[in-house]
Amino acid sequence: MIELIPAIDIIHGKCVRLSQGDYATSRTYSENPLDIAKEIESHGLRHLHVVDLDGAASSHIVNYRVLEEIASHTSLCIDFGGGIKDDKDLAIAFECGAQMATIGSLAIKEPERFLGWLEQYGSEKIILGADARKGKIAINGWKDESREDILPFLEKYASKGIKKVICTDIERDGMLQGPSTELYQSILQKLPELCLIASGGISSLQDIERLDHMGVPAVIFGKALYEGRITLKELERFL
């Protein structure tokens, strides 16, 4: 059964969602992300994806206090990303309660440091963030495009020991038009050993069912939940 991972994206301490990673499209859904996390936990979900969007667009973690508050007031297993640029940032994320850290930009810009973290913390705690626009990995809060094609990028890090990867098709993210099933199918075929976490475009329960039938191990979703297209009650059938 596919693992369900609701997302809480944070700007200025508030729960927001963007469209295609564009900060100008930010819409606030809750002034208090902890309330959202508690509601998620109350319906039996165990995993939460928290993104510090302020951190992703800057040079360091910004909203670590929100992470700390969620971790200290729920028993959710939290993976945290956004703004992790150096050893201090990663230490802050883990000290504030994240069980896993999602690393994207640094895996492109400082691969040796990334591999050092992978060796130090292990593949259960370090998740590779592979967010792509038109097949190219994007970095720096999705503002910039690298030269890396997504499949070779994933193959390279799979050969180095990465086990978990969050893959977002940026053009679908926040658009509620369905996930990038062709991309995920190609990854599953090429790298079946990876724990692929699909992200971006989820618009309905049927989208999640489709990914489940494809054999995708886990899925992240946010806007569909906040817009009422998916309810937490409906998701209980997957638990």
Side-chain angles (χ1 to χ4, degrees):
M1 187 70 74
I2 193 168
E3 183 176 12
L4 305 176
I5 309 175
I8 292 179
D9 292 357
I10 304 165
I11 291 180
H12 303 321
K14 302 174 183 178
C15 177
V16 307
R17 296 302 292 175
L18 309 181
S19 296
Q20 297 181 327
D22 183 355
Y23 283 66
T25 67
S26 175
R27 177 179 176 183
T28 299
Y29 286 92
S30 174
E31 299 283 329
N32 189 351
L34 177 58
D35 291 342
I36 300 292
K38 286 182 173 180
E39 181 70 9
I40 287 168
E41 183 180 40
S42 73
H43 284 268
L45 281 80
R46 308 304 309 155
H47 197 155
L48 183 66
H49 178 62
V50 176
V51 181
D52 179 358
L53 289 175
D54 291 315
S58 66
S59 59
H60 56 86
I61 287 178
V62 175
N63 289 291
Y64 58 90
R65 292 301 183 194
V66 177
L67 166 64
E68 186 175 47
E69 186 174 32
I70 293 172
S72 61
H73 289 89
T74 73
S75 60
L76 293 166
C77 178
I78 302 170
D79 78 76
F80 178 86
I84 300 176
K85 303 296 199 299
D86 57 28
D87 294 3
K88 181 180 178 181
D89 288 322
L90 186 58
I92 288 172
F94 287 138
E95 288 168 5
C96 288
Q99 280 92 345
M100 292 165 281
T102 300
I103 314 295
S105 297
L106 190 130
I108 289 283
K109 297 191 288 187
E110 298 185 52
E112 292 305 317
R113 186 194 292 267
F114 177 79
L115 290 172
W117 289 349
L118 181 60
E119 182 176 358
Q120 179 179 355
Y121 292 100
S123 60
E124 290 303 309
K125 293 184 73 70
I126 300 297
I127 302 173
L128 178 62
D131 305 324
R133 183 184 285 112
K134 298 187 185 301
K136 299 285 187 181
I137 298 294
I139 57 175
N140 300 330
W142 298 354
K143 297 192 301 293
D144 302 316
E145 187 178 285
S146 75
R147 297 181 179 179
E148 294 268 5
D149 292 316
I150 186 166
L151 279 174
F153 176 74
L154 293 179
E155 287 181 287
K156 175 177 67 177
Y157 278 116
S159 72
K160 301 291 186 180
I162 270 293
K163 302 298 183 187
K164 298 179 180 179
V165 57
I166 295 175
C167 182
T168 306
D169 183 335
I170 295 168
E171 291 181 300
R172 291 178 180 263
D173 191 67
M175 302 307 291
L176 299 172
Q177 295 176 354
S180 188
T181 53
E182 290 185 7
L183 172 62
Y184 300 138
Q185 190 65 57
S186 66
I187 295 171
L188 290 171
Q189 290 175 349
K190 192 78 172 180
L191 297 162
E193 71 277 12
L194 275 183
C195 176
L196 172 61
I197 304 168
S199 173
I202 298 300
S203 65
S204 66
L205 201 64
Q206 288 70 38
D207 287 336
I208 294 176
E209 290 172 339
R210 188 178 305 115
L211 292 174
D212 189 24
H213 293 154
M214 286 172 56
V216 174
V219 59
I220 290 172
F221 52 93
K223 183 174 282 190
L225 184 62
Y226 302 128
E227 294 279 347
R229 297 193 180 204
I230 296 173
T231 69
L232 289 169
K233 183 66 177 177
E234 288 176 324
L235 294 174
E236 292 177 4
R237 59 183 283 194
F238 289 92
L239 305 179

